[in-house]
Amino acid sequence: MNYYFAPLESISSYPLRNVHAAFFPSIDKYFSPFVSTNEEGHYTGKIERDLAPENNQTLQLVPQIMGRDSEHILKSFSYLRELGYHEVNLNMGCPSGTVVAKGKGSGMLRDLYFLEDFFENLFSRKDHDFAISVKCRIGISDSGQVPELFSLFNQFPFSEIIVHPRVQKQFYKGNVDLDAFQRLYEITENPLVYNGDIENAETAHKIMARFPGLSGMMLGRGLLANPALVREIKGGKELEEKELKDYILAVEKAFSAEIQGDRNLLCKLKECWSYFAKNYPNSVKGMKELRKAKTIEEYRGAKFRIFSEAAFVPFKGEKEWI
């Protein structure tokens, strides 16, 4: 079983990836937040830094790209090959309304005839040793398209099919549809990876027991809240408070080296704490102070209040669904 760190927009960039890989070396692949393809086929600034090989030396990174113009995507392939990458992931799962309205992300699942031509163009023109995986959902408004969609995927040699078993209309609400995943599991011929609502080791083990032929499992929000989750799934010790505190401090230092200006840095750290705080479920006042913090000093004061006022309770998930 392979374990992957899901691409989460803005938060799972290289500062957090590198810290996580140093503290919890159990991840087989990290996936970058999606990069929108463009006419030029190359990138500068934040995207360039996030994909730069020198910023990803201690982990295996798979760039995720989003687009529906095959010519733009092929230019991105060339750019990534020049950086030394040999695999790319196509984003066909983003449920954002603005993304879907442009026919991108999970919006690409609307038209299977377009998808067939799109895939044929990519696979016929890519370098033979350049791998393409795809991350997708099970439909737009319902899962009735599952047989046709995954039979289409079978026509092409994807390195992996990563499936989040919700439809686009759900966004991240409601339960994942394991019955629909069962249907695609039975017909998919490419290596299949499960993604969605894995927040504790018990749930991961139940998924693996029901779908023993999986090649991998992708974890996202559960891994942000409990960075030791994969270690626990593999039978290792559960997250300890000291290592979480050390991890948080290292994340702070990593982002402060990348982000200019306290305001932007605070926004990033507050976003991280929306996950870290799940290990301190009774810290009401501390979290209120942290969310209101306007300076780094106020942020630090709120952080230490969280540590002092609430007991550490390793995050084990917010719901029982399997």
Side-chain angles (χ1 to χ4, degrees):
M1 179 67 64
N2 294 309
Y3 296 94
Y4 302 153
F5 201 127
L8 291 110
E9 187 176 3
S10 81
I11 196 169
S12 62
S13 53
Y14 80 90
L16 185 137
R17 290 196 302 264
N18 284 326
V19 173
H20 187 270
F23 276 75
F24 305 98
S26 301
I27 303 298
D28 297 289
K29 294 179 184 177
Y30 291 78
F31 287 67
S32 77
F34 74 78
V35 175
S36 292
T37 57
N38 58 42
E39 196 170 354
E40 292 76 25
H42 59 82
Y43 306 91
T44 59
K46 181 173 67 174
I47 293 174
E48 182 182 34
R49 294 193 299 275
D50 195 51
L51 298 177
E54 61 267 25
N55 290 332
N56 296 281
Q57 295 181 12
T58 62
L59 53 89
Q60 183 174 349
L61 179 66
V62 177
Q64 185 184 85
I65 60 175
M66 177 188 288
R68 60 181 285 112
D69 186 312
S70 57
E71 296 301 322
H72 294 175
I73 289 179
L74 287 164
K75 287 181 180 179
S76 294
F77 286 1
S78 297
Y79 171 81
L80 294 170
R81 281 301 300 263
E82 290 176 0
L83 291 178
Y85 291 103
H86 299 278
E87 179 182 358
V88 71
N89 180 253
L90 301 178
N91 181 320
M92 294 185 183
C94 179
S96 166
T98 55
V99 168
V100 172
K102 297 175 183 177
K104 299 179 181 181
S106 56
M108 296 187 75
L109 305 179
R110 284 176 174 155
D111 188 345
L112 299 192
Y113 293 106
F114 168 81
L115 268 188
E116 185 173 11
D117 291 341
F118 176 80
F119 291 151
E120 284 180 351
N121 200 18
L122 293 186
F123 279 95
S124 65
R125 296 172 60 188
K126 75 175 185 69
D127 292 343
H128 74 279
D129 61 342
F130 194 74
I132 301 176
S133 63
V134 62
K135 186 175 186 292
C136 69
R137 294 198 168 217
I138 55 174
I140 299 295
S141 58
D142 61 65
S143 62
Q145 227 180 359
V146 159
E148 293 81 8
L149 176 61
F150 288 89
S151 294
L152 172 61
F153 286 147
N154 285 344
Q155 298 177 31
F156 300 93
F158 289 99
S159 59
E160 290 177 315
I161 307 290
I162 304 168
V163 181
H164 182 116
R166 282 188 174 93
V167 297
Q168 181 269 329
K169 296 295 186 183
Q170 286 182 271
F171 287 80
Y172 296 96
K173 298 176 181 177
N175 287 334
V176 295
D177 189 343
L178 291 186
D179 291 335
F181 191 85
Q182 180 74 50
R183 294 197 298 274
L184 68 91
Y185 173 80
E186 292 170 356
I187 63 175
T188 298
E189 297 174 3
N190 289 300
L192 181 63
V193 176
Y194 177 88
N195 169 233
D197 290 5
I198 302 296
E199 296 183 325
N200 54 59
E202 181 181 5
T203 300
H205 295 154
K206 288 180 179 178
I207 291 291
M208 288 187 278
R210 179 166 176 177
F211 307 107
L214 290 175
S215 69
M217 184 171 290
M218 176 176 277
L219 303 98
R221 289 162 178 78
L223 195 53
L224 287 174
N226 176 4
L229 180 53
V230 171
R231 183 177 73 196
E232 294 179 19
I233 293 171
K234 291 181 175 182
K237 64 181 181 180
E238 69 176 25
L239 182 67
E240 298 176 342
E241 184 175 23
K242 184 181 183 306
E243 67 178 340
L244 177 63
K245 289 180 177 179
D246 291 343
Y247 173 72
I248 292 171
L249 181 59
V251 168
E252 291 170 349
K253 291 179 178 178
F255 275 125
S256 67
E258 163 65 12
I259 299 174
Q260 301 299 313
D262 284 0
R263 182 177 178 180
N264 292 332
L265 177 59
L266 277 172
C267 287
K268 184 70 65 178
L269 296 179
K270 288 178 183 181
E271 187 177 3
C272 290
W273 265 98
S274 68
Y275 298 100
F276 298 157
K278 295 180 187 296
N279 298 287
Y280 295 92
N282 298 316
S283 180
V284 177
K285 294 181 180 179
M287 275 306 298
K288 184 176 181 180
E289 285 184 10
L290 189 140
R291 285 190 290 267
K292 293 171 64 176
K294 295 181 180 179
T295 66
I296 293 297
E297 290 72 22
E298 290 176 352
Y299 162 84
R300 291 190 180 121
K303 180 181 72 169
F304 290 119
R305 179 165 188 169
I306 292 170
F307 291 156
S308 63
E309 79 172 354
F312 170 73
V313 182
F315 179 67
K316 296 298 181 183
E318 297 176 327
K319 61 181 180 179
E320 291 291 335
W321 57 270
I322 184 173

